[in-house]
Amino acid sequence: MQITTLKAEMLLSIILAVLLTCCGTGLKHQSETEQSETTAYKFDLQGHRGCRGLFPENSIAAFKKALELGVNTMELDLAVSKDSLLVVSHEPWFSASICTDSLGNDISEEEEKAYNIHQHTYEEVARYDCGSKGNPRFPEQNKMKQTKPLLDSAITFIESYIKENNLPEVDYNIEIKSDEAGDNLYHPSPAVYSDLVYNFLEQTGIAPERITIQSFDLRVLKYWNEHYASKYKNAFLVANKNTFEENIAELGFKPAIYSPAYQMLDSTSVNEIHSASMLAIPWTVNEQAEMQKLLTWGVDGIITDYPDRALVFK
């Protein structure tokens, strides 16, 4: 009897231990699941240079992937060729880190600025490959031959792809890349550059409310505010250490969007931007933890190289 009772007690202990282990595991799994759940936010998801983290920047392939992922806005940059055509490019030259020359040779960092897009006709620009080399900063990026497209070609592709695949319209956030040192060397003067962009946009048939013109160059923003504010909204790109009030005072007007580097924001500064009746759309936010923090603070949009990472918050 004593042996039988002892065996029964041991069996009961084993069963109890198993049950506790299973329940504990279940509770732990439930807790982890709850923690992994994210709040859905309504925000403007902008694909930075299309989706630079996944495909060559500012390329047709990057724009296609961004559309497939469901971005709200296509963010892209402009340069101007020798024959006054608008080229989609972040730098006004062929970057050594991502491009090879027209013969397929590497470009050195010391010489890259000599490969000046503003001194190339677009026919010459199209001979350079800015995709096969890849970008060492973005290991997930697909390597493929890509040329810098004309803005006309990029928008035509995007609009056609949307219609063919019954996708929602996207907006455009177009950056005019310029600074005083580059005037008439790497790009036209602000007035000539701006008029070139404006005249092109007027011919696209795209509703002006779908287009934002952004720039770090205060001269460009002031010109658009003076001449085209009734049609196109502006975004003030910011990377300096000035306060919000100082930057707006220097600009001289309140643009529709204040767009700083995301590290410059906190909950107080987001509220400050909103109190000035402006939208807060930071750049370039690539980590999900930072995205969630910014969205919790109430930013109106996120510019990211990885639109796929932001989809969990939509």
Side-chain angles (χ1 to χ4, degrees):
M1 284 293 293
Q2 290 179 350
I3 294 175
T4 302
T5 302
L6 180 61
K7 287 183 177 180
E9 289 175 351
M10 290 176 64
L11 180 61
L12 181 60
S13 297
I14 291 170
I15 293 171
L16 182 60
V18 170
L19 287 172
L20 287 172
T21 300
C22 292
C23 291
T25 302
L27 288 171
K28 180 181 179 183
H29 175 72
Q30 183 181 17
S31 176
E32 289 176 348
T33 301
E34 289 173 353
Q35 290 175 3
S36 67
E37 290 178 353
T38 55
T39 303
Y41 299 89
K42 185 177 181 181
F43 66 99
D44 181 12
L45 174 55
Q46 299 200 15
H48 185 236
R49 309 186 200 179
C51 54
R52 178 171 58 158
L54 305 176
F55 283 85
E57 65 180 60
N58 283 318
S59 68
I60 296 297
F63 299 144
K64 179 176 181 289
K65 184 60 177 179
L67 291 172
E68 292 172 350
L69 289 171
V71 300
N72 305 113
T73 298
M74 203 70 75
E75 194 273 352
L76 53 86
D77 313 275
L78 294 182
V80 182
S81 67
K82 184 177 181 179
D83 43 352
S84 297
L85 296 176
L86 296 170
V87 181
V88 183
S89 177
H90 184 259
E91 290 84 19
W93 53 76
F94 291 93
S95 170
S97 63
I98 63 172
C99 298
T100 54
D101 69 17
S102 58
L103 298 177
N105 300 313
D106 283 339
I107 298 170
S108 69
E109 290 186 12
E110 295 76 18
E111 296 179 329
E112 66 177 5
K113 291 185 179 180
Y115 290 83
N116 183 351
I117 292 173
H118 199 45
Q119 299 303 319
H120 286 64
T121 65
Y122 183 70
E123 183 180 358
E124 293 169 333
V125 169
R127 296 174 188 159
Y128 287 69
D129 178 4
C130 296
S132 297
K133 190 173 182 178
N135 188 324
R137 292 176 56 200
F138 300 95
E140 296 177 42
Q141 187 184 95
N142 288 274
K143 297 179 181 180
M144 59 181 65
K145 186 174 183 178
Q146 292 287 289
T147 58
K148 292 180 182 291
L150 290 171
L151 179 59
D152 188 15
S153 300
I155 289 181
T156 297
F157 170 80
I158 292 167
E159 294 298 306
S160 297
Y161 192 85
I162 287 170
K163 291 179 182 177
E164 291 167 3
N165 294 277
N166 297 314
L167 298 174
E169 287 184 340
V170 295
D171 292 341
Y172 295 90
N173 189 8
I174 300 172
E175 182 177 350
I176 293 180
K177 306 286 295 185
S178 63
D179 58 37
E180 191 169 355
D183 286 352
N184 301 311
L185 173 62
Y186 291 110
H187 51 73
S189 65
V192 174
Y193 201 163
S194 295
D195 288 342
L196 189 64
V197 175
Y198 174 82
N199 291 332
F200 168 80
L201 293 175
E202 289 294 284
Q203 296 172 14
T204 64
I206 297 173
E209 56 266 25
R210 290 175 57 197
I211 297 171
T212 297
I213 298 298
Q214 63 176 349
S215 189
F216 288 100
D217 192 339
L218 272 62
R219 302 173 305 159
V220 168
L221 296 175
K222 289 177 180 180
Y223 188 87
W224 280 78
N225 182 61
E226 181 180 350
H227 293 84
Y228 309 127
S230 61
K231 294 198 74 171
Y232 295 98
K233 56 185 176 291
N234 291 149
F236 184 6
L237 289 169
V238 179
N240 60 51
K241 296 182 180 180
N242 297 337
T243 66
F244 170 71
E245 294 90 345
E246 289 170 342
N247 278 324
I248 295 302
E250 185 178 3
L251 181 60
F253 70 96
K254 292 181 181 179
I257 300 165
Y258 194 75
S259 190
Y262 78 89
Q263 299 93 334
M264 299 170 65
L265 290 177
D266 56 27
S267 59
T268 300
S269 58
V270 172
N271 289 333
E272 187 177 24
I273 294 166
H274 288 161
S275 296
S277 300
M278 299 166 61
L279 301 180
I281 301 181
W283 54 271
T284 302
V285 194
N286 288 339
E287 300 302 325
Q288 287 184 326
E290 297 294 343
M291 293 176 183
Q292 187 163 30
K293 181 169 63 175
L294 288 158
L295 290 168
T296 301
W297 292 340
V299 297
D300 303 283
I302 286 177
I303 301 173
T304 177
D305 292 312
Y306 295 95
D308 55 320
R309 297 181 185 178
L311 294 176
V312 67
F313 303 112
K314 292 292 283 182

